[in-house]
Amino acid sequence: MQQTDQFVVSPLSYQPDYEVVATTERTCQQHLQQTLHKLSEISSQAATHAARSVHLKSHGLLTAEMQIYDQLPPAYAQGLFARPQTLPLIMRFSTVPGDILHDKPGTPRSLALKVVGVEGERLPGSEDAITQNFLFVNGASFLSSSVQVFLNNLKHLACSPNTSTELRHFLAQLFRSTAHLVESLKYGQQSQLNHLYQSQETNLLGETYISQDPIMYGDYMAKIAVVPIAHDLIALSNKPIDLFASDGLRKSIVDFFIKRTAVWELRVQLCTDLQTMPIEDATIIWPEEHSPYIPVARITAKPQIAWSPYRSRLIDDGMLFSPWQGLASHRPLGSVTRLRKMNYEMAKNLHALQENGRICEPKHLDDLC
């Protein structure tokens, strides 16, 4: 475990008035619901099973263990991480767009964690579950700060079925090129952090994944990250892979786990200043000089079949990954996440209808072993 005593921060205790609901936020909900329903319809035409509106294509479906470190400083020993324990979890690597694209377009790559065996007061709607879900993207900031911009971006993706694939390929290139320009203007050529829509021609296992949207962290507010620490993973950072094959990303993960073990650290960045670390604007990268990412747990995934049709049926078809499925002490924060809550609820209902009600939160991972 990395020593944390050298880091001294004074995190802000959460106050309800830190969350500010814009007057336009509620008016966007109906439009967003229509857009997401359209995306699900488009995705369903490209899939033989119930389709998500986003994050449809999985590249890796792993079982792993999370070892929560002992002797954490009090501010970091919160919620799920309040005491040392080892818990099983699922790791799902996916692609953000809703349709099943060739891997070549530069679309954002995502990681979802579903930790099993979690105890504590739960968020409304998840009272019967014992899981905690965390969502990450391989970019430090969300491209859309406001719910209106987020909605407009989704509307671009919800195009007609006849042109969806071509348009999404074009949009992926456009987002990537625009992000490179913004990146160079804002941070210069030596930016420490990759943007959400950067070129995606490198191995997913070498990426650092960041929550982007803040969450409650017990008494405080935080962002979290999953960082590769095993030598075999670090060696894959920025390593190009063959994306000319339609499933190049999936193949790279499957090949890795034939014989090798992967180890990541889950790290937490506590909010210390609302001016430089805002709750409502997910485009702002929280400065690490104000509050560094501190290790709180280690995630280990041993050699396994990292993707199979069987695992896909159990996980892609039988589970949803929502940050609103978890502990009250880790409630999602921010306008974009509040608006996306409706997406998760609608997706669960639509998914369950298409899959004859087989959506569930797992009680164990025995079926995946």
Side-chain angles (χ1 to χ4, degrees):
M1 169 183 171
Q2 179 176 330
Q3 293 296 319
T4 60
D5 295 342
Q6 59 182 309
F7 301 116
V8 179
V9 299
S10 298
L12 291 175
S13 296
Y14 170 79
Q15 301 294 332
D17 58 3
Y18 289 164
E19 294 187 83
V20 180
V21 179
T23 56
T24 58
E25 184 171 326
R26 300 189 187 280
T27 63
C28 292
Q29 291 184 359
Q30 183 177 0
H31 297 293
L32 178 61
Q33 185 173 12
Q34 295 171 350
T35 300
L36 291 169
H37 192 273
K38 180 65 174 178
L39 282 171
S40 293
E41 290 178 347
I42 294 173
S43 299
S44 297
Q45 296 180 19
T48 58
H49 51 77
R52 293 167 164 84
S53 57
V54 290
H55 302 284
L56 172 59
K57 185 174 183 179
S58 65
H59 304 293
L61 301 170
L62 307 174
T63 60
E65 284 189 341
M66 174 186 288
Q67 178 190 0
I68 298 172
Y69 293 144
D70 60 358
Q71 299 180 346
L72 290 174
Y76 295 91
Q78 301 278 325
L80 172 62
F81 308 94
R83 62 183 178 87
Q85 57 181 318
T86 300
L87 297 169
L89 74 154
I90 295 169
M91 306 181 73
R92 183 180 190 266
F93 293 88
S94 65
T95 300
V96 170
D99 54 356
I100 305 179
L101 293 175
H102 188 289
D103 286 346
K104 186 62 175 177
T107 56
R109 314 304 188 189
S110 302
L111 170 64
L113 301 183
K114 188 182 291 290
V115 187
V116 181
V118 176
E119 300 176 350
E121 179 187 355
R122 300 196 59 83
L123 290 166
S126 70
E127 291 87 353
D128 296 333
I130 56 170
T131 58
Q132 173 66 52
N133 293 353
F134 295 116
L135 304 185
F136 308 86
V137 179
N138 62 329
S141 67
F142 195 81
L143 189 61
S144 307
S145 62
S146 71
V147 295
Q148 184 61 57
V149 177
F150 175 61
L151 175 60
N152 289 338
N153 286 346
L154 283 177
K155 283 183 176 179
H156 282 297
L157 293 177
C159 54
S160 67
N162 292 334
T163 58
S164 62
T165 300
E166 291 79 2
L167 182 56
R168 292 187 204 198
H169 281 235
F170 168 76
L171 285 173
Q173 296 174 6
L174 177 62
F175 286 152
R176 183 177 62 210
S177 300
T178 303
H180 279 316
L181 175 60
V182 172
E183 187 84 359
S184 64
L185 292 174
K186 188 172 183 180
Y187 302 109
Q189 297 300 319
Q190 302 299 320
S191 171
Q192 287 183 302
L193 296 169
N194 297 326
H195 194 278
L196 174 61
Y197 290 106
Q198 67 171 8
S199 176
Q200 305 293 334
E201 299 180 357
T202 56
N203 197 299
L204 273 69
L205 297 177
E207 298 274 5
T208 291
Y209 293 88
I210 302 175
S211 63
Q212 297 188 339
D213 296 307
I215 63 171
M216 291 281 294
Y217 194 79
D219 296 330
Y220 309 107
M221 302 160 288
K223 292 188 178 183
I224 54 178
V226 174
V227 183
I229 61 171
H231 175 76
D232 285 347
L233 292 184
I234 295 174
L236 297 177
S237 178
N238 297 319
K239 183 175 181 180
I241 61 173
D242 178 13
L243 292 185
F244 289 98
S246 61
D247 292 325
L249 294 172
R250 181 179 297 165
K251 183 177 185 300
S252 67
I253 295 178
V254 170
D255 289 349
F256 179 93
F257 281 99
I258 291 176
K259 294 183 179 179
R260 287 179 283 185
T261 294
V263 184
W264 296 266
E265 247 179 1
L266 193 145
R267 300 177 182 175
V268 171
Q269 182 186 33
L270 295 176
C271 178
T272 59
D273 178 8
L274 288 178
Q275 296 300 313
T276 59
M277 309 171 79
I279 299 301
E280 297 293 346
D281 188 350
T283 65
I284 302 297
I285 298 175
W286 290 7
E288 293 191 50
E289 60 268 25
H290 291 183
S291 179
Y293 278 93
I294 300 300
V296 298
R298 175 172 295 194
I299 299 171
T300 303
K302 296 181 179 179
Q304 60 190 280
I305 300 173
W307 193 97
S308 70
Y310 172 73
R311 282 197 172 186
S312 181
R313 284 194 298 273
L314 291 178
I315 299 174
D316 294 332
D317 297 349
M319 302 178 192
L320 288 176
F321 291 80
S322 167
W324 297 93
Q325 190 72 239
L327 299 177
S329 56
H330 296 307
R331 177 173 63 84
L333 301 172
S335 60
V336 172
T337 306
R338 287 195 299 271
L339 196 64
R340 291 162 78 185
K341 181 182 180 182
M342 182 179 60
N343 172 29
Y344 297 115
E345 293 172 347
M346 186 185 72
K348 181 177 181 179
N349 294 334
L350 179 62
H351 203 97
L353 179 64
Q354 293 174 330
E355 291 294 324
N356 299 318
R358 291 194 291 111
I359 297 298
C360 66
E361 287 296 302
K363 303 295 185 182
H364 54 76
L365 301 185
D366 295 346
D367 293 339
L368 295 173
C369 297

